[in-house]
């Protein structure tokens, strides 16, 4: 599969919209778009095969199940792994397992973009502070949105566009050259990496307040063969009720 320049730019835009701190989809929307499952599906639509994009994105999403960004630190970038990883894997015709092995190192590169963005944005903060001291609130709004978003768009869209456009043929050659044992090794590694994300997620789940809900979902799926989507909807409803009751209980105290 070949990727033209227009498709490459659109993939870069998908990565930009899911980057932490973009206001266009709201903070919640950016967080959702940042997930490899969503990003991979969008990349699949751009490349004309949303099903394959969804499958590869779902595989890449597994190592990032327990991913959080706490205290302004970003240990990895699931958005870059989901967009660029899915695009290059689809271009090379790689399996989902191999795609995971390719995407995780790409996700680590995204931490440099985050650090660069936070470092440069300090200058815009000082400009906004100066405008606030002058009482010019229009400039405060301007410096908080326009220059920071233009810079963020530049450091996200341009690298991903170039990487996807020029890297597709290179990745195809690499996959072809690794056929045999090396590719089998990558497949095995790609099959193991999701276990890391699942284990980290289980570490958060295994406590006396949450484990019962996990066991209910497990029993419904394994023994009663309830579809995963149905279980997810039931879990969503229970989570809302549980949260509301917990907040009312805390308010009553």
């Amino acid at each position: 599969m070949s990727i033209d320049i227009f498709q490459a730019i659109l993939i870069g835009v998908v990565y930009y919209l899911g980057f932490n701190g973009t206001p266009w989809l709201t903070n919640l929307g950016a967080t959702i778009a940042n997930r490899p499952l969503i990003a991979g599906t969008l990349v699949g639509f751009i490349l004309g095969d949303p099903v394959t994009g969804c499958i590869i994105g779902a595989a890449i999403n597994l190592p990032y199940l327990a991913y959080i960004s706490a205290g302004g630190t970003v240990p990895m970038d699931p958005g870059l792994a989901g967009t660029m990883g899915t695009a290059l894997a689809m271009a090379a015709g790689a399996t989902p397992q191999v795609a995971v092995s390719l995407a995780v190192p790409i996700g680590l590169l995204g931490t440099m973009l985050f650090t660069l963005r936070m470092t440069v944005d300090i200058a815009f903060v000082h400009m906004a502070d100066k405008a606030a001291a002058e009482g010019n609130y229009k400039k405060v709004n301007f410096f908080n949105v326009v220059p920071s978003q233009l810079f963020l768009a530049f450091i996200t869209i341009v690298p991903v566009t170039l990487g996807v456009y020029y890297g597709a043929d290179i990745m195809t050659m690499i996959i072809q050259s690794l056929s045999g044992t090396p590719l089998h090794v990558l497949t095995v590694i790609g099959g193991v990496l999701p276990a890391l994300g699942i284990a980290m997620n289980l570490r958060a789940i295994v406590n006396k307040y949450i484990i019962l809900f996990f066991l209910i979902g497990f029993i419904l799926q394994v023994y009663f063969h309830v579809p995963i989507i149905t279980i997810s909807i039931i879990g969503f409803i229970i989570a809302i009720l549980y949260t509301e009751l917990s907040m009312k209980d805390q308010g009553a105290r």
Side-chain angles (χ1 to χ4, degrees), residues 201-222:
N201 205 36
L202 286 175
R203 186 178 180 184
I205 290 174
V206 180
N207 67 64
K208 61 181 180 180
Y209 299 107
I210 302 176
I211 189 63
L212 290 177
F213 298 114
F214 172 75
L215 291 176
I216 290 172
F218 179 81
I219 292 170
L220 288 175
Q221 208 287 316
V222 173

Side-chain angles (χ1 to χ4, degrees), residues 51-109:
V51 174
T52 301
C54 182
I55 292 171
I56 293 177
I60 295 173
N61 200 97
L62 287 174
Y64 298 101
L65 279 179
Y67 167 81
I68 59 170
S69 174
T73 61
V74 177
M76 58 191 75
D77 188 347
L80 186 60
T83 50
M84 200 167 177
T86 300
L88 293 178
M90 290 182 66
T95 63
Q97 292 81 7
V98 174
V100 173
S101 299
L102 299 175
V104 170
I106 292 174
L108 294 175
L109 295 176

Side-chain angles (χ1 to χ4, degrees), residues 20-57:
N20 184 22
T22 51
W24 317 119
L25 300 177
T26 72
N27 192 40
L28 177 61
T31 302
I32 294 173
N34 182 259
R35 293 294 172 176
L37 173 60
I38 305 301
T41 303
L42 293 175
V43 169
F45 273 109
I46 293 170
L47 297 181
D49 191 352
V51 174
T52 301
C54 182
I55 292 171
I56 293 177

